[in-house]
Amino acid sequence: MKTVGIMEVTLVNARGLKCTEFFSGGIDPYVILQYRTQERKSSVARGQGSKPVWDEKFNFRVEYPGANDQYKLILNVMDKDTFTADDHLGQATIYLKDLLALGVENGTAQLHPQKYSVVDNNQNYSGEIQVGITFTSKVQEGAGGEEYGGWRQSEI
């Protein structure tokens, strides 16, 4: 049986971000959050340099179990540039399988905001990012009944 739910990601802040560009005047960071084929983008923390604060929430639709067991959230930290292509500052990966399994079992599961290492393309430490995640299961597919507005009504 497959469970569908909502994963809410809270992007809190980052610390120690480094730009590898030699002529970088300052960092205007933002984050691209990816879960499977879904992508969300944070606001640009203009003028906040290596210590940006976002305090933004993003929702993703999650199926568990899903195809190919790729339960990970990828955070790509970028530097917004005006006249050139944006720079990739680094990436953090958060593995979600245990959180999702617990959420399916209990109806909800939470990872309180914690710090994850950001690494650049050469796997060198490039700062840290603080993220919290909550998964809430909504509907069990294949349980019988009909769906009304995304919720199932049992056949009793």
Side-chain angles (χ1 to χ4, degrees), residues 4 50 60 64 75 84 105 111 119 126 130 134 151:
V4 176
S50 65
F60 295 86
Y64 185 89
L75 307 166
T84 58
E105 187 177 317
L111 284 175
V119 294
S126 186
Q130 189 172 12
T134 302
W151 295 94

Side-chain angles (χ1 to χ4, degrees), residues 7-148:
M7 177 175 63
E8 182 181 81
V9 179
T10 303
L11 178 63
V12 181
N13 60 31
R15 295 282 177 265
L17 297 179
K18 300 177 183 104
C19 186
T20 56
E21 294 293 313
F22 183 71
F23 292 108
S24 177
I27 303 173
D28 293 320
Y30 67 95
V31 180
I32 299 171
L33 303 90
Q34 295 173 300
Y35 178 76
R36 296 184 181 254
T37 61
Q38 302 168 70
E39 190 174 283
R40 310 284 183 269
K41 184 177 167 184
S42 76
S43 62
V44 176
R46 293 208 178 275
Q48 294 190 33
S50 65
K51 297 181 181 179
V53 175
W54 290 282
D55 283 325
E56 294 179 31
K57 294 183 185 304
F58 304 90
N59 289 330
F60 295 86
R61 182 182 186 276
V62 175
E63 292 182 8
Y64 185 89
N68 72 16
D69 286 346
Q70 293 296 311
Y71 305 110
K72 60 185 177 183
L73 177 68
I74 298 171
L75 307 166
N76 282 297
V77 184
M78 307 293 291
D79 175 24
K80 180 74 176 165
D81 289 329
T82 305
F83 300 110
T84 58
D86 293 354
D87 299 316
H88 183 258
L89 300 179
Q91 177 176 298
T93 302
I94 303 171
Y95 294 91
L96 304 165
K97 187 171 185 175
D98 293 342
L99 175 77
L100 299 179
L102 192 62
V104 168
E105 187 177 317
N106 298 332
T108 187
Q110 183 175 13
L111 284 175
H112 292 285
Q114 56 189 321
K115 295 172 183 169
Y116 298 90
S117 292
V118 175
V119 294
D120 65 16
N121 294 336
N122 297 318
Q123 298 303 304
N124 295 318
Y125 177 81
S126 186
E128 60 190 24
I129 191 163
Q130 189 172 12
V131 177
I133 302 171
T134 302
F135 172 69
T136 305
S137 59
K138 297 286 186 197
V139 177
Q140 292 190 339
E141 293 182 349
E146 294 183 39
E147 283 194 33
Y148 293 97

